[in-house]
Amino acid sequence: MKQNSFHLWVEAARTLCRPDAVHLCDGSRAEFDHIAAEMVRAGKLTPLTKRPRSFWCQSDPEDVARVEEDTYICSIDPDNAGPTNQWKNPEEMRALMHKLFSGCMQGRTMYIIPYCMGPVHSPYSQLGVEITDSPYVVLNMHLTTRMGPEVLARCEKEPFVRGLHSVGVPLQPGQPDTAWPCNPKQRHIVHFPETREIWSFGSGYGGNALLGKKCHALRIASAVARDEGWLAEHMLILGITNPAGKKKYIAAAFPSACGKTNLAMLQPSVPGWKIECVGDDIAWMHVGADGGLWAINPEAGYFGVAPGTSMQTNPNAMKTLDHDAIFTNTALTKDGDIWWDGLPPQPLKVSSCHPNSRFTVSAKQCPIYDPEAENPQGVPISAILFGGRRSTTMPLVMESFSWAHGVFYGASLSSETTAAAKGELGKLRHDPFAMLPFCGYHMGDYFGHWLWMGEKLVKPPKIYSVNWFRKDGQGKYLWPGFGENIRVLEWVFEPTNARKTAVGNVPLHFDPALTNIDRAQWLYEVEELERYFVLFGNKFPKELSAELEALKHRLMIH
Ligand code: GTP
Ligand code: SPV
Ligand code: MN
């Protein structure tokens, strides 16, 4: 019976995973406190004396970031996963999953987490249920999603995304547990977009394990969004109010660890401007009744990069972290506080800090949390930014000539790799729309979907490219970034005094070292894009080929 699909599925998971106990989560504070206390007793979590109801923990050194090489999109047709995803035959993968999950929760408790991505009463929100054997995941989901009796009641009646997660370490009777159980050798982060299912095995960290975030709100949701005519994006959403009191909303896509959280919580260095934070990582965007683009943040909290966060760079994040926060892989100090690179020197460190160490905290604690983030209709987006870590070529900011040219900016995005994903650091790679690791379908179709959205929009937002990371000959950043980024947003708010260049409109008032367009570098960029776009075969939209040709032509004649 359809009405019972929730209970049938939970029962099937219990039979498969064979946990010692089952806990249906109610999302309450008492539940959080109880699970945290149990973890403290088990030596998995350290309470922080300096921050009320806050905890530190350390993961296994083999389980510290997203694992793209262990991530799969198992669509029926391999052509629906496309050249940028790893595809496996869904039936074969399902068989492997059943083998891995068989008895995998022995000796552990199976937690059932009903959650809602987006404001509970938004027509754009989606339900999900994550079944996990990780109490750490439960605590993190408490902080980053909406949970509770109302969400549970709806999951018993309405469709939801199914997520099954295990750290992949069953315990024999009497076998002691480790502080951070995980199974890196058999790690699989698997998505079945057609049946809206996620199976994640072997990792307990971040996007691999908190299934509401990247797996549901990006990979599964992007495939749903293509079918239903909207967008699920790796974007922050911020409100910006000018000194005259006029407010606009901006969405921005930067790859992992390239500045979304920092921009979303920006403390302006220019007096009179105000920034409010709607979201720091993911945006779901729909065409509204007015023909504009409206965005909700599906998340209810932040899983943010710790290193580099300080009172100088991001005071709003620091204030958010005063209490009720979880810190993973930061350093711990002798006096019961946390530390990371970028904070004032700390002689009392008892552990070291990983470059992808993170904090988890509810968005409600952010001093500049925008009340409109709870609006079920979302917020109206008037500009979209794309940006990456580029030491050369890309100017501080430029404005596209049209929607299609802006989509070309998105498709052309490249960035130097960071510690957010396992692999080599600082290597320039293509990361279209900052969605390379997160697009749940063929990236060529995704480009086409963006062009299609432009046609549906009566008032399409203007699209910009930004780059905070240009360097001088000595390898030093040319732009101070952080609070100073308001100067770029100021121009995006009102893009006057621009110069038209071959690549876009560029403001006149910045140091030319930040905004100049080097023709030789750009001709190389075009050549590189010509090579890259071949990957998408006949799914590469002809409108974007035309944009590339037009750019090449403009560069030749300039
Ligand atoms: P994910 O959560 O992985 O998606 O990352 P993110 O895009 O939210 O990046 P975040 O804002 O956490 O920044 C990542 C790193 O870049 C941090 O160490 C920041 O201190 C640094 N960073 C952010 N903004 C700027 C900037 O404007 N200039 C410079 N130089 N560094 C920045
Ligand atoms: C990212 O890598 O873009 C993140 C961190 O936001 S994780 O949730 O681990 O994917
Ligand atoms: Mn992210």
Side-chain angles (χ1 to χ4, degrees):
M1 235 168 50
K2 188 146 191 7
Q3 184 216 339
N4 274 328
S5 70
F6 172 87
H7 296 283
L8 284 177
W9 175 62
V10 167
E11 201 40 40
R14 197 184 63 79
T15 308
L16 176 65
C17 303
R18 300 198 295 276
D20 281 12
V22 178
H23 176 120
L24 178 58
C25 296
D26 62 13
S28 66
R29 198 182 161 105
E31 179 177 78
F32 184 101
D33 290 343
H34 176 76
I35 293 174
E38 268 186 356
M39 288 185 72
V40 170
R41 255 196 312 277
K44 293 167 184 256
L45 220 48
T46 303
L48 296 173
T49 48
K50 294 284 168 97
R51 290 165 205 260
R53 292 182 82 236
S54 298
F55 302 90
W56 172 86
C57 70
Q58 201 169 37
S59 76
D60 185 290
E62 293 296 308
D63 193 24
V64 293
R66 277 187 299 101
V67 282
E68 296 176 4
E69 71 270 32
D70 301 326
T71 300
Y72 301 89
I73 302 293
C74 298
S75 47
I76 296 163
D77 182 349
D79 215 32
N80 268 330
T84 58
N85 283 311
Q86 297 199 87
W87 178 83
K88 278 272 162 63
N89 176 300
E91 286 320 308
E92 284 169 25
M93 186 55 98
R94 228 172 253 288
L96 174 61
M97 288 299 105
H98 277 267
K99 214 193 275 158
L100 288 178
F101 276 86
S102 176
C104 71
M105 295 187 187
Q106 249 181 73
R108 299 186 185 280
T109 298
M110 179 173 110
Y111 299 91
I112 299 144
I113 311 171
Y115 64 85
C116 180
M117 298 311 284
V120 175
H121 297 285
S122 169
Y124 308 124
S125 291
Q126 287 183 14
L127 299 168
V129 178
E130 174 166 0
I131 296 181
T132 180
D133 55 9
S134 162
Y136 170 84
V137 164
V138 179
L139 298 186
N140 279 267
M141 291 292 279
H142 262 248
L143 300 178
T144 58
T145 72
R146 290 159 174 95
M147 291 169 62
E150 188 182 358
V151 173
L152 166 62
R154 281 182 55 191
C155 288
E156 289 175 322
K157 297 194 290 275
E158 296 173 38
F160 58 88
V161 170
R162 292 161 188 224
L164 183 56
H165 168 254
S166 173
V167 295
V169 186
L171 295 170
Q172 300 314 313
Q175 182 185 339
D177 199 7
T178 56
W180 186 280
C182 62
N183 187 346
K185 290 210 175 68
Q186 295 191 293
R187 211 156 39 196
H188 285 78
I189 320 296
V190 180
H191 307 74
F192 298 97
E194 279 105 355
T195 52
R196 321 262 195 257
E197 272 172 274
I198 304 150
W199 293 62
S200 169
F201 189 88
S203 166
Y205 199 83
N208 302 330
L210 313 176
L211 302 187
K213 196 174 175 65
K214 305 300 181 171
C215 300
H216 176 166
L218 287 176
R219 298 195 191 96
I220 298 289
S222 62
V224 175
R226 172 214 33 204
D227 296 346
E228 296 180 355
W230 50 281
L231 295 168
E233 299 299 325
H234 192 199
M235 288 182 179
L236 67 93
I237 308 163
L238 64 82
I240 173 168
T241 307
N242 75 359
K246 189 173 162 51
K247 186 171 182 181
K248 295 184 182 181
Y249 285 93
I250 296 175
F254 309 157
S256 302
C258 289
K260 288 181 301 301
T261 302
N262 279 268
L263 191 65
M265 297 181 189
L266 180 145
Q267 173 92 33
S269 64
V270 181
W273 288 82
K274 181 168 139 189
I275 299 292
E276 285 161 283
C277 180
V278 176
D280 81 323
D281 200 49
I282 301 178
W284 285 356
M285 305 197 288
H286 293 76
V287 182
D290 64 348
L293 189 63
W294 290 73
I296 63 163
N297 170 17
E299 298 190 278
Y302 314 115
F303 181 64
V305 175
T309 309
S310 69
M311 283 311 280
Q312 287 69 46
T313 58
N314 191 350
N316 289 315
M318 292 306 290
K319 289 175 198 158
T320 307
L321 298 173
D322 273 351
H323 61 98
D324 292 82
I326 298 172
F327 300 89
T328 311
N329 289 344
T330 64
L332 178 69
T333 68
K334 260 188 206 142
D335 57 348
D337 203 4
I338 37 73
W339 184 89
W340 52 71
D341 300 288
L343 289 178
Q346 169 54 263
L348 298 172
K349 273 181 288 173
V350 295
S351 67
S352 61
C353 167
H354 189 276
N356 191 38
S357 56
R358 297 212 172 221
F359 53 78
T360 318
V361 70
S362 162
K364 293 221 168 92
Q365 288 181 203
C366 179
I368 59 160
Y369 186 55
D370 191 332
E372 284 300 298
E374 301 291 333
N375 188 330
Q377 295 305 319
V379 297
I381 299 297
S382 52
I384 293 173
L385 318 183
F386 292 110
R389 278 180 191 264
R390 293 296 304 266
S391 37
T392 68
T393 318
M394 303 305 288
L396 179 64
V397 56
M398 59 179 175
E399 182 190 55
S400 60
F401 302 133
S402 65
W403 179 264
H405 187 220
V407 172
F408 174 78
Y409 280 0
S412 308
L413 209 160
S414 299
S415 190
E416 287 141 25
T417 51
T418 66
K422 184 168 168 260
E424 203 183 327
L425 291 186
K427 193 174 156 224
L428 187 64
R429 72 166 184 182
H430 292 281
D431 189 349
F433 291 79
M435 284 288 278
L436 180 73
F438 308 121
C439 184
Y441 62 103
H442 195 298
M443 189 67 86
D445 288 333
Y446 170 92
F447 297 159
H449 185 55
W450 263 83
L451 293 166
W452 179 90
M453 284 293 290
E455 281 164 36
K456 298 289 144 198
L457 289 165
V458 181
K459 289 187 301 182
K462 284 207 177 171
I463 300 180
Y464 296 80
S465 157
V466 299
N467 177 24
W468 314 147
F469 301 96
R470 210 188 242 203
K471 288 179 177 168
D472 65 14
Q474 276 68 55
K476 205 173 141 272
Y477 289 127
L478 285 160
W479 177 246
F482 303 105
E484 289 290 297
N485 291 334
I486 190 67
R487 298 184 194 278
V488 171
L489 298 185
E490 194 174 5
W491 185 71
V492 166
F493 195 94
E494 204 173 349
T496 49
N497 287 323
R499 175 171 69 95
K500 185 172 176 178
T501 76
V503 296
N505 297 319
V506 172
L508 287 165
H509 61 283
F510 290 102
D511 181 343
L514 293 159
T515 53
N516 76 311
I517 304 303
D518 184 302
R519 195 163 160 274
Q521 286 179 356
W522 271 94
L523 284 169
Y524 180 78
E525 186 83 7
V526 163
E527 255 179 55
E528 176 48 39
L529 287 170
E530 278 174 335
R531 273 193 294 273
Y532 180 61
F533 289 154
V534 170
L535 188 61
F536 305 103
N538 60 10
K539 295 222 186 208
F540 191 72
K542 59 181 185 327
E543 292 91 331
L544 296 186
S545 302
E547 287 295 336
L548 185 57
E549 274 309 299
L551 168 60
K552 200 168 157 180
H553 180 75
R554 290 192 302 266
L555 284 166
M556 300 292 195
I557 60 170
H558 261 256

